Amino acid sequence: MSYFADVILPLPLGKYFTYSIPEGLFPSIKTGSRVIVQFGAKKYYTAVVRNIHCNTPEYETKNILEVLDPRPIIRPRQLEFWEWIANYYMCSVGDVYKAALPSGLKPESETMLQLNSECCIDEINDFTLKEKSIIDFLTNEQEASIATIEKSGIKNVMSSIKSLLERNIIAIKEELRRKYQPKTQLCIKLSFERGNEDRIRECFEDLKRAKLQLKLFVTFLEMSGFNRPGNETVVNRKALLERANISNAVLLALINKGIFVQYKQEISRLDGGKQKVEKVHELNPAQRKAYNEIIDSFCNKGVTLLHGVTSSGKTEIYIHLIKHAIEEGKQALFLVPEIALTTQLANRLARVFGNKLGVYHSKFTDNERVDIWNSLLKDNGIQVVLGVRSSLFLPFKNLGLIIVDEEHETSYKQQDPAPRYNARNAAMILAASFGAKTLLGSATPSIESYFNAKTNKFGFVELLSRHGDILLPKIEIADTRELRRKKIMKSGDISPRLAEASKSVLDMGGQVILFRNRRGFAPIVECQTCGWVPKCKHCDVSMTYHKHLNQLTCHYCGYTYEIPSKCPACGYPTIEVKGFGTEHIEEEALSAFKDYPVARMDLDTTRSRKAYEEIISDFEEGKTSILIGTQMITKGLDFERVGVVGILGADSLLNMPDFRAHERAFQMMEQVAGRAGRKGRQGHVIVQTSQAEHPIINQLINHDYKGMFNSQLIERQDFSYPPYTRLIYIYIKGRNEEVVQKASRWYADLLRQSFGQRVLGPDKPVIGRVQSMYIRKIVIKFENNASPQKVREIISTAEENFYAQNGFKNLILYYDADPM
Ligand code: ADP
Ligand code: ZN
Ligand code: ZN
């Protein structure tokens, strides 16, 4: 019987592809194994086996060329989770596959070929001319990509390559197959069975006259604990030489005598930093109560929301819950919205969970991520994972608990590329598939989650006092409109009140955080004569000025150029920098607080993991006194000595063109305020705004989350926004604006035939062109009780129709379900 495998390719394709399984490969192919297949004329890909069957397809199938994993590296439950994401977020499973696996596990570069070292070419004579040329080429070049081979003048090589591959003459290069390099160490062991005392005695006899060799032999026996039972008789080579203080030549002699054997042992990168495990903190009475309520709530609700004010000890409660899950033999996943948060938390968790903890995010190297992946495939590997949204895809075996910390955070939602999933919501689905529980935690829950809690869809637990009964920070307003009118303050300055408050805290040995939700030195550069503003060539946005680099950068496509010395529109040398971002505040802080070291944390200063860790640990240790940053510093960080937090540019937060702008402004400001006064004294927050009477500002002063929730909820209901409806945004992109406009009208009309007034648009989005692509947006708003599955089916039929239209084929059409 012939067998076939349906595989998932790392491509945005709507379906699975079927390949035949050559007999020799059959025993080693499993659902969830990676295989190498050819797709299209020239390319090889690493695909994932979805299922194996014997239904011969109607079309001719290609062979699976290689199996990379005799043991699957993806569990069936994960594959189902991929499919759920692809379906709900309206993308291909291939998109999900690309997001799910660390790149070390999915080589998809131009395939490199090499001669198979195990095969002897001379013995085989029946090569075609073309095959001979390919063999010659590879003999000379050692390795080459298929493209290079074709470029050398050998045309239409695919079938020859296939035949050579199948006859095992050439191979896909090992590096492609195993991009991941396990970490190894050189070890020494005895060449004979431990416990063979006769042999040991012989050795001693043998080495009697070779003093150094004898010394090394004895040192080995000591280190390997040879005569103590239960010890491995293996010793690290370097450690052995160091301990014995003897040269490598002596060791070689012992190896040559056949006493020692040297070999490579794979070691895990994970237990490199062996932590001393500490006991967890006792929960205080309020935390204990909340903990018990959560455990109770877990009994009858899949998802529970913990609304705990900043510094109430949510993290302590999480730690207890994780411990509980582990004691029941389950795994736990602790999700955080940003890498910035993992640094501090990793230390806090490692102190409790030691090497049962794995940390997973993109700033780790591929090898480190693959190590975590592999550890989860083992039976007694990692039990707790701390990670960002992509850690949902790790091969968990028996998940018992997912914690989604700072659940309101928008960074849980992936924007680009697909899958545009919300990790908070996907976490609930994943947890449910394991029968596990999800805990959402936040000091400022999203309106959606709080609404779900209030309407009993989720369990609900509150913790409204800070640990140590410290008061929530005092919030003061600096009315910038007033200050400007009186000419006390120019645009973008640190107000006198903020400067004064900061100074006094700094002088007492405290620290200051200044928050400005915009990076760059000055977002707006303008000609003072004619009003010309530098724009990106490829996008509909103004350029952002970066002082350190002295250049203008587009934050959408990365295009950069220098500020022109003369205005390209009017010719006058009057181009000036206006407004302010983090870089500008840094400069101002440096001159206002001369004696105190300043650090800045934003996308530009945290390109590497080291950079994050350094900025945070320097501030923790008091090496820096003032921390300036974007929304990166608003969340979750736990510093002890922050006395003052300054919020600059609250106006820009309040004025965002988005139905969630006010909710977000409150969350961000309340969160950053929460960094003040976490230990010891009440903190002090100064908000600079020209809208001092804004309801959100008032709610912030009173730390009135519920007031904010209630007033926002009324607006959401009035305008039919979530949580009363669900949204799907549809984007259509293309290089020709007219075609894009025509196609999006056509598509909106088609959708209206099914959804009627629920379809809005098409509209030109705020940024109507990015990277030379014109964009139109259609919005579908449907009732909560509409079936998401039905909606998706209708859209998917409409989409087939769309691409069947003349001239629409080259347009890009994609969806954003539950946009944030
Ligand atoms: P949240 O996560 O709610 O912002 P944290 O868990 O970070 O709050 O707690 C704030 C600070 O108080 C942390 O430094 C934490 O170690 C300390 N803390 C909280 N609860 C306890 C406790 N029960 N015992 C000792 N320290 C605690
Ligand atoms: Zn000008
Ligand atoms: Zn651009």
Side-chain angles (χ1 to χ4, degrees):
M1 196 179 331
S2 332
Y3 285 95
F4 300 91
D6 298 337
V7 307
I8 305 170
L9 286 159
L11 298 167
L13 304 165
K15 52 177 180 149
Y16 298 143
F17 285 79
T18 305
Y19 287 81
S20 22
I21 306 178
E23 223 165 87
L25 294 185
F26 184 73
S28 50
I29 284 193
K30 308 264 159 38
T31 294
S33 299
R34 293 169 305 153
V35 292
I36 299 278
V37 297
Q38 188 197 340
F39 183 79
K42 298 215 174 79
K43 290 232 164 123
Y44 286 102
Y45 290 95
T46 307
V48 171
V49 176
R50 180 60 187 100
N51 53 293
I52 295 165
H53 56 83
C54 25
N55 312 324
T56 313
E58 279 157 23
Y59 50 91
E60 205 183 314
T61 50
K62 291 179 186 150
N63 270 344
I64 284 186
L65 299 172
E66 284 196 57
V67 182
L68 300 187
D69 313 301
R71 287 182 53 204
I73 63 152
I74 300 148
R75 300 178 195 270
R77 210 194 302 268
Q78 284 180 275
L79 292 171
E80 282 157 29
F81 181 57
W82 292 10
E83 282 162 345
W84 180 84
I85 291 203
N87 177 47
Y88 188 84
Y89 293 101
M90 297 193 266
C91 61
S92 74
V93 180
D95 286 329
V96 184
Y97 162 31
K98 282 205 287 190
L101 257 61
S103 47
L105 291 178
K106 45 166 203 257
E108 52 173 292
S109 56
E110 284 277 28
T111 307
M112 297 298 278
L113 299 172
Q114 58 185 191
L115 289 177
N116 195 340
S117 53
E118 282 146 39
C119 110
C120 180
I121 291 163
D122 301 337
E123 287 171 14
I124 311 164
N125 305 313
D126 55 341
F127 293 122
T128 64
L129 261 180
K130 199 177 275 174
E131 286 167 358
K132 280 194 182 128
S133 323
I134 294 171
I135 291 170
D136 283 347
F137 192 79
L138 286 174
T139 311
N140 286 332
E141 301 289 318
Q142 312 277 349
E143 60 179 67
S145 71
I146 297 167
T148 329
I149 296 176
E150 293 211 316
K151 263 188 218 136
S152 78
I154 316 170
K155 290 294 169 212
N156 300 324
V157 295
M158 277 326 296
S159 67
S160 312
I161 284 181
K162 185 167 150 246
S163 140
L164 289 171
L165 272 171
E166 279 168 3
R167 283 143 71 199
N168 227 355
I169 309 294
I170 61 175
I172 288 171
K173 207 190 153 209
E174 191 66 18
E175 184 183 279
L176 175 83
R177 197 191 306 181
R178 292 260 173 258
K179 210 168 163 191
Y180 163 68
Q181 293 294 327
K183 193 170 174 182
T184 55
Q185 61 179 3
L186 281 177
C187 290
I188 301 297
K189 63 177 177 184
L190 291 176
S191 65
F192 48 89
E193 284 282 305
R194 66 178 288 185
N196 185 344
E197 289 186 14
D198 289 346
R199 197 59 225 278
I200 301 250
R201 229 168 284 127
E202 264 174 52
C203 291
F204 272 112
E205 195 60 31
D206 249 19
L207 300 174
K208 236 173 20 201
R209 256 160 236 106
K211 271 222 176 88
L212 288 176
Q213 291 177 25
L214 184 64
K215 186 176 169 205
L216 190 64
F217 185 65
V218 171
T219 312
F220 173 86
L221 293 181
E222 278 170 15
M223 286 179 79
S224 64
F226 189 75
N227 35 24
R228 263 173 287 136
N231 267 309
E232 284 286 311
T233 47
V234 164
V235 169
N236 177 293
R237 177 175 170 277
K238 192 161 159 247
L240 174 65
L241 290 176
E242 269 168 19
R243 170 85 159 269
N245 193 16
I246 280 176
S247 78
N248 193 28
V250 179
L251 178 63
L252 281 177
L254 284 174
I255 293 173
N256 287 336
K257 282 190 176 158
I259 294 175
F260 285 162
V261 179
Q262 174 169 308
Y263 72 108
K264 267 188 195 165
Q265 187 187 44
E266 205 173 302
I267 52 171
S268 164
R269 286 180 181 79
L270 302 174
D271 44 37
K274 278 214 178 84
Q275 287 268 356
K276 222 182 104 217
V277 174
E278 288 173 19
K279 274 185 69 182
V280 296
H281 287 142
E282 285 288 326
L283 294 179
N284 69 34
Q287 293 165 349
R288 170 62 53 194
K289 180 163 171 287
Y291 175 87
N292 289 335
E293 286 171 10
I294 292 168
I295 296 284
D296 277 352
S297 167
F298 281 174
C299 293
N300 46 45
K301 291 275 198 283
V303 184
T304 297
L305 172 67
L306 169 63
H307 178 207
V309 297
T310 52
S311 207
S312 55
K314 292 185 291 300
T315 312
E316 297 297 332
I317 293 179
Y318 302 152
I319 290 172
H320 282 254
L321 289 168
I322 294 171
K323 205 161 160 275
H324 182 75
I326 292 181
E327 281 161 6
E328 297 198 317
K330 300 283 178 61
Q331 296 171 311
L333 168 61
F334 188 146
L335 279 182
V336 289
E338 281 208 35
I339 296 168
L341 274 180
T342 57
T343 312
Q344 266 197 344
L345 276 174
N347 293 334
R348 242 170 116 175
L349 295 179
R351 263 181 256 136
V352 179
F353 300 110
N355 53 14
K356 291 193 198 118
L357 173 76
V359 183
Y360 191 80
H361 61 64
S362 64
K363 288 277 182 335
F364 280 93
T365 65
D366 246 340
N367 284 344
E368 286 169 310
R369 285 194 280 167
V370 175
D371 274 345
I372 292 189
W373 192 284
N374 289 337
S375 166
L376 283 164
L377 290 172
K378 286 190 206 134
D379 278 337
N380 47 6
I382 288 170
Q383 281 169 292
V384 188
V385 172
L386 168 68
V388 295
R389 59 175 183 249
S390 58
S391 41
L392 281 178
F393 298 112
L394 286 167
F396 294 104
K397 190 174 170 206
N398 59 346
L399 207 49
L401 173 68
I402 303 185
I403 287 165
V404 186
D405 192 19
E406 314 290 349
E407 66 84 28
H408 63 280
E409 274 296 331
T410 49
S411 23
Y412 278 124
K413 172 84 182 183
Q414 172 150 322
Q415 302 295 353
D416 269 314
R420 296 176 178 81
Y421 66 109
N422 183 319
R424 173 194 65 203
N425 300 350
M428 301 177 202
I429 301 293
L430 182 70
S433 80
F434 280 94
K437 301 296 168 185
T438 309
L439 180 71
L440 310 179
S442 176
T444 54
S446 63
I447 302 270
E448 282 92 336
S449 295
Y450 203 79
F451 180 79
N452 282 333
K454 288 275 131 181
T455 52
N456 264 325
K457 216 175 137 194
F458 297 169
F460 182 56
V461 176
E462 272 180 324
L463 181 58
L464 300 179
S465 55
R466 285 192 146 184
H467 176 65
D469 290 322
I470 298 163
L471 292 174
L472 284 168
K474 185 172 139 254
I475 302 201
E476 187 185 331
I477 304 301
D479 185 338
T480 50
R481 193 175 36 193
E482 209 35 41
L483 293 168
R484 287 213 182 92
R485 201 173 53 79
K486 294 184 182 151
K487 303 247 177 332
I488 297 172
M489 185 179 152
K490 287 186 307 186
S491 139
D493 289 347
I494 293 173
S495 67
R497 185 70 192 96
L498 176 55
E500 182 194 330
S502 305
K503 194 81 183 21
S504 76
V505 159
L506 290 168
D507 288 345
M508 283 175 355
Q511 292 174 308
V512 171
I513 286 181
L514 300 177
F515 164 63
R516 170 73 166 113
N517 197 31
R518 205 176 254 177
R519 64 193 164 110
F521 180 79
I524 295 165
V525 176
E526 201 180 55
C527 171
Q528 297 307 104
T529 312
C530 74
W532 175 84
V533 171
K535 287 254 164 106
C536 177
K537 229 163 75 175
H538 314 287
C539 316
D540 269 354
V541 291
S542 342
M543 304 288 280
T544 299
Y545 177 54
H546 286 256
K547 182 155 187 285
H548 277 344
L549 306 165
N550 193 28
Q551 65 187 15
L552 297 158
T553 303
C554 169
H555 281 181
Y556 285 83
C557 72
Y559 178 68
T560 54
Y561 57 87
E562 277 174 21
I563 295 194
S565 53
K566 281 184 198 147
C567 172
C570 71
Y572 283 96
T574 49
I575 294 176
E576 273 187 27
V577 173
K578 276 172 61 175
F580 60 113
T582 41
E583 254 184 84
H584 178 87
I585 294 169
E586 180 182 26
E587 188 161 276
E588 213 176 319
L590 281 169
S591 72
F593 314 111
K594 279 209 176 53
D595 306 328
Y596 298 101
V598 174
R600 175 164 62 91
M601 182 149 133
D602 55 28
L603 264 183
D604 299 315
T605 62
T606 52
R607 300 259 180 237
S608 72
R609 173 169 125 221
K610 268 229 132 44
Y612 271 106
E613 285 171 359
E614 253 172 51
I615 294 172
I616 290 171
S617 66
D618 283 357
F619 196 65
E620 260 175 350
E621 291 160 19
K623 284 190 199 152
T624 45
S625 305
I626 302 163
L627 180 62
I628 295 163
T630 54
Q631 38 85 29
M632 251 181 221
I633 60 169
T634 62
K635 43 194 90 160
L637 293 170
D638 185 28
F639 300 116
E640 294 191 2
R641 284 188 297 258
V642 177
V644 164
V645 166
I647 299 179
L648 294 88
D651 292 350
S652 70
L653 292 176
L654 291 167
N655 299 341
M656 298 280 232
D658 185 303
F659 71 91
R660 286 197 181 90
H662 291 169
E663 176 192 351
R664 295 249 172 86
F666 181 88
Q667 285 163 339
M668 250 183 217
M669 292 195 279
E670 183 67 35
Q671 288 286 346
V672 71
R675 301 314 113 206
R678 291 172 73 88
K679 290 268 162 80
R681 305 180 41 179
Q682 186 188 18
H684 188 179
V685 178
I686 294 170
V687 183
Q688 302 191 167
T689 175
S690 67
Q691 302 173 60
E693 296 84 36
H694 199 290
I696 289 288
I697 298 290
N698 202 33
Q699 285 148 1
L700 181 70
I701 293 176
N702 297 311
H703 299 287
D704 183 13
Y705 174 82
K706 283 173 196 156
M708 185 281 293
F709 173 77
N710 289 326
S711 63
Q712 290 303 303
L713 204 60
I714 293 170
E715 285 186 25
R716 302 285 176 90
Q717 189 157 29
D718 285 352
F719 297 98
S720 308
Y721 273 121
Y724 293 99
T725 54
R726 290 169 195 258
L727 299 177
I728 294 176
Y729 290 169
I730 302 175
Y731 292 95
I732 295 174
K733 281 188 182 180
R735 295 192 182 274
N736 181 323
E737 188 163 22
E738 262 169 59
V739 176
V740 172
Q741 177 65 19
K742 186 176 144 217
S744 44
R745 277 227 190 95
W746 186 91
Y747 198 44
D749 286 342
L750 180 68
L751 291 167
R752 272 193 194 97
Q753 289 174 16
S754 305
F755 297 122
Q757 294 310 304
R758 297 180 189 86
V759 179
L760 310 172
D763 289 306
K764 192 172 163 178
V766 183
I767 293 153
R769 188 176 56 119
V770 170
Q771 295 174 354
S772 302
M773 300 282 258
Y774 293 89
I775 310 168
R776 289 296 180 273
K777 176 176 161 190
I778 299 168
V779 175
I780 307 181
K781 238 185 208 184
F782 56 96
E783 302 81 355
N784 276 345
N785 56 9
S787 146
Q789 192 49 37
K790 260 264 171 61
V791 171
R792 279 155 182 76
E793 279 161 21
I794 295 171
I795 294 176
S796 125
T797 313
E799 179 177 325
E800 276 170 33
N801 240 315
F802 178 90
Y803 279 120
Q805 295 303 302
N806 247 344
F808 294 178
K809 272 201 187 56
N810 292 327
L811 295 175
I812 296 168
L813 170 62
Y814 65 88
Y815 304 89
D816 188 0
D818 301 339
M820 293 271 270

PDB file of all heavy atoms in Angstrom, residues 3 288 382 492 553 647 696:
ATOM      1  N   TYR A   3       1.600   5.125   1.069  1.00  0.00           N
ATOM      2  CA  TYR A   3       1.208   6.047   2.125  1.00  0.00           C
ATOM      3  C   TYR A   3       1.505   7.489   1.727  1.00  0.00           C
ATOM      4  O   TYR A   3       2.439   7.757   0.967  1.00  0.00           O
ATOM      5  CB  TYR A   3       1.953   5.714   3.412  1.00  0.00           C
ATOM      6  CG  TYR A   3       1.401   4.480   4.085  1.00  0.00           C
ATOM      7  CD1 TYR A   3       1.982   3.239   3.849  1.00  0.00           C
ATOM      8  CD2 TYR A   3       0.299   4.578   4.925  1.00  0.00           C
ATOM      9  CE1 TYR A   3       1.469   2.106   4.457  1.00  0.00           C
ATOM     10  CE2 TYR A   3      -0.218   3.449   5.526  1.00  0.00           C
ATOM     11  CZ  TYR A   3       0.364   2.216   5.284  1.00  0.00           C
ATOM     12  OH  TYR A   3      -0.142   1.112   5.893  1.00  0.00           O
ATOM     13  N   ARG A 288      -3.561  36.196  50.789  1.00  0.00           N
ATOM     14  CA  ARG A 288      -4.032  34.842  51.097  1.00  0.00           C
ATOM     15  C   ARG A 288      -5.504  34.684  50.721  1.00  0.00           C
ATOM     16  O   ARG A 288      -5.920  33.711  50.109  1.00  0.00           O
ATOM     17  CB  ARG A 288      -3.778  34.574  52.595  1.00  0.00           C
ATOM     18  CG  ARG A 288      -4.385  33.331  53.205  1.00  0.00           C
ATOM     19  CD  ARG A 288      -3.904  32.018  52.613  1.00  0.00           C
ATOM     20  NE  ARG A 288      -2.460  31.866  52.585  1.00  0.00           N
ATOM     21  CZ  ARG A 288      -1.821  30.927  51.884  1.00  0.00           C
ATOM     22  NH1 ARG A 288      -2.524  30.081  51.129  1.00  0.00           N
ATOM     23  NH2 ARG A 288      -0.519  30.857  51.908  1.00  0.00           N
ATOM     24  N   ILE A 382      11.578  21.121  31.696  1.00  0.00           N
ATOM     25  CA  ILE A 382      11.097  22.351  32.308  1.00  0.00           C
ATOM     26  C   ILE A 382       9.641  22.224  32.749  1.00  0.00           C
ATOM     27  O   ILE A 382       8.837  21.569  32.090  1.00  0.00           O
ATOM     28  CB  ILE A 382      11.194  23.457  31.258  1.00  0.00           C
ATOM     29  CG1 ILE A 382      12.655  23.823  31.040  1.00  0.00           C
ATOM     30  CG2 ILE A 382      10.405  24.670  31.645  1.00  0.00           C
ATOM     31  CD1 ILE A 382      12.831  24.721  29.859  1.00  0.00           C
ATOM     32  N   GLY A 492       7.366  71.302  25.441  1.00  0.00           N
ATOM     33  CA  GLY A 492       8.244  70.159  25.619  1.00  0.00           C
ATOM     34  C   GLY A 492       9.137  70.191  26.836  1.00  0.00           C
ATOM     35  O   GLY A 492       9.961  69.319  27.024  1.00  0.00           O
ATOM     36  N   THR A 553      14.130  59.421  10.421  1.00  0.00           N
ATOM     37  CA  THR A 553      13.816  58.014  10.183  1.00  0.00           C
ATOM     38  C   THR A 553      12.311  57.841  10.081  1.00  0.00           C
ATOM     39  O   THR A 553      11.562  58.468  10.818  1.00  0.00           O
ATOM     40  CB  THR A 553      14.327  57.144  11.350  1.00  0.00           C
ATOM     41  OG1 THR A 553      15.714  57.358  11.492  1.00  0.00           O
ATOM     42  CG2 THR A 553      14.065  55.675  11.085  1.00  0.00           C
ATOM     43  N   ILE A 647       4.800  62.235  34.098  1.00  0.00           N
ATOM     44  CA  ILE A 647       4.160  61.816  32.857  1.00  0.00           C
ATOM     45  C   ILE A 647       4.133  63.017  31.931  1.00  0.00           C
ATOM     46  O   ILE A 647       3.448  64.003  32.193  1.00  0.00           O
ATOM     47  CB  ILE A 647       2.739  61.273  33.129  1.00  0.00           C
ATOM     48  CG1 ILE A 647       2.830  60.052  34.061  1.00  0.00           C
ATOM     49  CG2 ILE A 647       2.036  60.932  31.820  1.00  0.00           C
ATOM     50  CD1 ILE A 647       1.492  59.446  34.422  1.00  0.00           C
ATOM     51  N   ILE A 696     -10.810  61.563  32.211  1.00  0.00           N
ATOM     52  CA  ILE A 696      -9.799  60.531  32.454  1.00  0.00           C
ATOM     53  C   ILE A 696      -8.765  61.016  33.474  1.00  0.00           C
ATOM     54  O   ILE A 696      -8.336  60.272  34.352  1.00  0.00           O
ATOM     55  CB  ILE A 696      -9.105  60.134  31.127  1.00  0.00           C
ATOM     56  CG1 ILE A 696     -10.068  59.330  30.241  1.00  0.00           C
ATOM     57  CG2 ILE A 696      -7.827  59.358  31.382  1.00  0.00           C
ATOM     58  CD1 ILE A 696     -10.356  57.921  30.693  1.00  0.00           C
TER      59      ILE A 696
END
